[in-house]
Amino acid sequence: MSGKNQGNTFRLEVLKARGNGALTTIDSISADATIAELKKRVAQQKPELYSDRQSYRTEPTGKSVKDTQKLSELNIDKVGKIYFKDLGTQIGWSTVFFAEYAGPLFIYLLFYIRPSLVYGSSAGSKPVHLAAHLGAICWTVHYAKRILETIFVHRFSHSTMPVFNLFKNCSYYWSFTALVSFFVNHPKYTPPSFGNAQIYLGLGIFILNEIGNLSIHILLRDLRPAGSTERRIPYPNKINPFTNLFHLVSCPNYTYEIGSWLGFSLMTQTLTALLFTFAGAVQMTIWAKQKHRAYKKDFADKYPKQRKSIIPFLI
Amino acid sequence: MSPMKAFLGNRNGCSEYPIFCSNTDSQSVRRPSTTIMDSRKKTTTKKEASSALTTFYLFIYNGILTVGWSLILYATVNQVKTYKSVGDLWECRGLWKAIELQLKVCQTAAFLEVIHAMFGLVRSNPMIVLVQIMSRVFLVWGVANYIPQTQFSVGILLAVVAWSITEIIRYAYYVLNLFQVAPQILTWCRYTFFIILYPMGVTGELTTIAKAMQTIYPEVVRNRYSILLPNKFNFGLDYFYFLAVVVCAYAYFPTMYKHMFKQRAKALNISPSKK
């Protein structure tokens, strides 16, 4: 269905980037067609290779080309060949996020609501400490918030990711959930050393950081026009003071996330919660540094110099 | 290109320090006879002085470890010579005492290799190096040292023999490679001995862990080695189940083993063997 301007069509061999031989041949495609259109054509001929799974390069090894580029821009019409890579089974980002967040919700609450299932029948009748109640509430709020954000707030720049990521991410979230929940909801739970003062301080820190994190997500959503993948520099807005953290870091959403979990750990005084906080902080620092580097590269001198990636003044 | 400069393969896939055997020298991919081991991320703009210092340091480090592991192997062999029956061998009396100090020093010193990787003295992925050292260090400190009954297990013998032969070859290779004089035969050993040594070592490790689990299974003993609730960190660790989880991690063995065969094929320039 690439009805073309006649003089402009050519025969394209789609070769496999790794390994030998051709994947398929497209008898007639327009030089003005984009990679996105090529993907559609290939998917027609090879239905199991839906567009999101296809990746193209001009050389067997090298960077993949963007969907928006035309075949003529890449000289493909002269060469008559292009190299294909199968990205493997893809899964939508939304699917991944739901699976990743529904698990923690379910698992944490399992320990909380039905302790006898995990700790034995006598656990059901033991009194539950305030910190454990608040822990369950905070955990639920956090993941419910994430699910809602996935539905209503986030805009994703890729529509899919490899299915292996689902397995990897779920293992991480679900395992840590079990590790945290097991100890916070344990019949032998020991309340925080500084009593209610510590509990409420932790709770307060948690709440403020959750609001902060949400504020940043909303700001980022508004930054990116609907349906586009355009990138702009985020700045604090005048309305929400939580966005002021953008003065100091490139990824304040991650900063707030670490803050939330520190609050949670303080509130529950549970080692595994702190380990979870630390693991998350390490991963988010890696991501923040990547993003920070990308910002500086894309925007060069226009990008605010005093910003660090995730921890103000430090990293 | 300075001869001291490495051209090791990408960081992600390959490591030169597999869980327990000498191998995965992805740099040997293309030119087995002139493999260069010492490498730095830094380019040839680095001053000659530091590169000489680095070489000297690595020479000392790898040299000491070659000697250290040789001593361990020597002490082990001597100890085994005193055994008179299969029963003796099964129990390995006196083995741990004979090698304990050297083993602790050599195995723990290997953490320095993570630092080397982090600072680019050698081109390996520090994370991979760390994971691989951890498994050995865990066996030394977290099993044998922690639960003394496991010191009297043939598992220790198998593991230590496998480790020491592997490490002697590996460190000797590194030393000689610093000066480009690693003989081809050494490379061959490095990429061939693992075929026996890797499974042997894993068997030894698992046997030792099994002995540990058997020892601490009864509740009375278990509690002595575990972290009990309640406590103010709200953290508990049942060491028996912890060891069970560690055993599960060995499920990686077949994958690693196959990976080593692939590395071997590349290093020795042969078509991949089956197995």
Side-chain angles (χ1 to χ4, degrees):
Chain A
M1 62 217 353
S2 7
K4 357 266 102 296
N5 332 339
Q6 306 74 312
N8 224 337
T9 61
F10 67 101
R11 185 168 169 274
L12 175 62
E13 268 192 281
V14 180
L15 302 172
K16 298 186 203 163
R18 262 204 309 186
N20 329 308
L23 175 76
T24 188
T25 307
I26 311 229
D27 290 326
S28 171
I29 186 165
S30 162
D32 291 329
T34 58
I35 294 289
E37 283 160 21
L38 169 62
K39 289 185 180 180
K40 285 204 203 104
R41 290 288 296 272
V42 171
Q44 279 170 350
Q45 289 179 225
K46 295 251 172 207
E48 72 277 8
L49 294 174
Y50 40 90
S51 296
D52 287 319
R53 230 177 129 144
Q54 302 174 35
S55 163
Y56 290 99
R57 311 168 175 163
T58 52
E59 298 297 320
T61 57
K63 268 194 73 170
S64 304
V65 292
K66 290 192 166 47
D67 278 2
T68 45
Q69 289 194 277
K70 291 193 189 166
L71 296 178
S72 50
E73 288 167 7
L74 301 162
N75 264 334
I76 303 294
D77 51 339
K78 307 282 183 302
V79 173
K81 287 200 263 241
I82 195 167
Y83 292 92
F84 160 84
K85 182 170 186 292
D86 183 353
L87 297 173
T89 314
Q90 298 288 298
I91 192 155
W93 276 61
S94 298
T95 315
V96 172
F97 277 99
F98 280 124
E100 286 175 13
Y101 302 151
L105 259 188
F106 177 73
I107 294 172
Y108 194 99
L109 292 177
L110 181 71
F111 289 77
Y112 175 70
I113 296 173
R114 285 255 170 276
S116 47
L117 273 179
V118 179
Y119 307 107
S121 43
S122 58
S125 50
K126 298 237 167 55
V128 177
H129 195 268
L130 170 67
H133 287 304
L134 290 174
I137 294 173
C138 287
W139 191 274
T140 306
V141 162
H142 180 86
Y143 284 97
K145 168 178 156 293
R146 284 214 197 174
I147 292 178
L148 291 171
E149 282 172 340
T150 306
I151 304 174
F152 296 113
V153 179
H154 294 312
R155 295 200 211 283
F156 298 108
S157 44
H158 298 277
S159 51
T160 65
M161 68 156 84
V163 74
F164 177 70
N165 280 16
L166 178 68
F167 177 71
K168 180 171 59 97
N169 295 350
C170 285
S171 305
Y172 170 80
Y173 280 110
W174 296 16
S175 308
F176 259 117
T177 302
L179 280 175
V180 175
S181 183
F182 178 80
F183 289 110
V184 178
N185 296 306
H186 202 282
K188 292 195 188 160
Y189 176 75
T190 307
S193 309
F194 297 100
N196 284 357
Q198 183 175 337
I199 294 177
Y200 288 120
L201 176 62
L203 180 65
I205 293 174
F206 177 84
I207 293 174
L208 288 174
N209 280 284
E210 289 288 295
I211 298 174
N213 177 271
L214 179 62
S215 309
I216 303 300
H217 286 158
I218 292 176
L219 186 152
L220 289 172
R221 191 268 313 266
D222 293 339
L223 197 65
R224 179 197 293 255
S228 96
T229 53
E230 175 197 334
R231 306 231 317 241
R232 293 165 40 198
I233 303 179
Y235 283 105
N237 65 38
K238 309 285 182 279
I239 325 163
N240 187 338
F242 284 100
T243 63
N244 287 338
L245 198 49
F246 267 118
H247 284 306
L248 297 175
V249 292
S250 293
C251 301
N253 48 323
Y254 292 151
T255 318
Y256 283 125
E257 174 97 19
I258 298 177
S260 287
W261 291 116
L262 284 174
F264 183 91
S265 303
L266 183 69
M267 182 178 81
T268 56
Q269 196 167 299
T270 300
L271 180 66
T272 47
L274 195 61
L275 289 176
F276 178 53
T277 308
F278 181 70
V282 166
Q283 178 64 84
M284 288 190 281
T285 302
I286 295 173
W287 290 337
K289 290 176 86 161
Q290 284 169 352
K291 195 143 184 71
H292 185 69
R293 229 176 300 137
Y295 275 144
K296 289 202 290 193
K297 184 161 164 274
D298 285 349
F299 299 112
D301 290 330
K302 294 208 221 79
Y303 198 72
K305 305 245 177 311
Q306 82 281 14
R307 283 191 197 178
K308 294 288 178 185
S309 51
I310 185 173
I311 308 287
F313 313 113
L314 289 180
I315 305 187
Chain B
M1 209 190 249
S2 146
M4 283 310 180
K5 196 162 174 201
F7 64 94
L8 232 150
N10 68 75
R11 282 179 162 236
N12 307 326
C14 311
S15 150
E16 46 156 278
Y17 194 148
I19 285 190
F20 150 64
C21 189
S22 56
N23 195 350
T24 51
D25 227 17
S26 52
Q27 69 219 298
S28 10
V29 169
R30 279 171 262 155
R31 307 196 301 222
S33 54
T34 55
T35 11
I36 301 161
M37 173 273 165
D38 169 47
S39 50
R40 266 146 295 139
K41 277 194 288 227
K42 294 139 195 152
T43 64
T44 42
T45 55
K46 192 104 176 73
K47 289 193 253 267
E48 298 272 328
S50 330
S51 92
L53 188 63
T54 305
T55 309
F56 179 68
Y57 166 71
L58 286 172
F59 173 69
I60 300 291
Y61 174 80
N62 291 313
I64 293 183
L65 275 140
T66 311
V67 170
W69 281 101
S70 305
L71 290 174
I72 293 172
L73 185 61
Y74 180 70
T76 304
V77 168
N78 275 348
Q79 191 62 27
V80 171
K81 284 205 278 200
T82 69
Y83 297 150
K84 312 247 182 317
S85 64
V86 175
D88 280 348
L89 197 61
W90 193 253
E91 273 209 344
C92 280
R93 274 199 178 279
L95 174 61
W96 183 259
K97 277 286 164 287
I99 59 173
E100 177 176 8
L101 184 61
Q102 305 89 301
L103 187 61
K104 284 177 175 173
V105 168
C106 286
Q107 197 59 80
T108 316
F111 274 119
L112 283 174
E113 292 175 45
V114 181
I115 314 273
H116 297 168
M118 279 188 344
F119 284 100
L121 257 65
V122 299
R123 208 181 310 181
S124 294
N125 183 335
M127 275 312 297
I128 296 193
V129 176
L130 181 67
V131 168
Q132 292 166 343
I133 295 176
M134 293 290 285
S135 74
R136 298 255 203 101
V137 166
F138 176 71
L139 205 87
V140 170
W141 293 98
V143 181
N145 191 59
Y146 191 47
I147 304 172
Q149 287 88 328
T150 60
Q151 293 164 12
F152 303 101
S153 155
V154 72
I156 298 276
L157 177 64
L158 288 173
V160 170
V161 167
W163 292 355
S164 48
I165 299 178
T166 303
E167 296 300 67
I168 293 169
I169 297 176
R170 185 168 75 91
Y171 287 114
Y173 177 86
Y174 289 164
V175 169
L176 296 178
N177 225 357
L178 281 175
F179 306 108
Q180 312 281 90
V181 295
Q184 185 63 2
I185 180 77
L186 193 59
T187 308
W188 184 87
C189 289
R190 201 176 159 202
Y191 285 95
T192 306
F193 281 26
F194 80 88
I195 299 178
I196 303 288
L197 294 182
Y198 191 22
M200 179 174 153
V202 167
T203 307
E205 292 176 26
L206 285 174
T207 308
T208 313
I209 296 178
K211 180 102 197 252
M213 289 175 76
Q214 185 187 31
T215 308
I216 68 171
Y217 183 71
E219 188 162 344
V220 170
V221 188
R222 175 119 45 115
N223 288 346
R224 256 193 280 142
Y225 290 102
S226 303
I227 303 176
L228 302 174
L229 286 177
N231 61 64
K232 70 176 175 197
F233 298 110
N234 288 305
F235 183 68
L237 184 67
D238 183 322
Y239 214 68
F240 179 83
Y241 289 111
F242 179 62
L243 288 176
V245 169
V246 170
V247 169
C248 291
Y250 279 86
Y252 257 112
F253 168 66
T255 312
M256 293 290 303
Y257 198 48
K258 274 190 230 153
H259 174 65
M260 287 186 190
F261 274 97
K262 278 204 218 101
Q263 293 296 109
R264 176 171 195 263
K266 277 199 267 180
L268 303 182
N269 256 340
I270 52 187
S271 54
S273 45
K274 322 129 233 182
K275 189 17 173 309

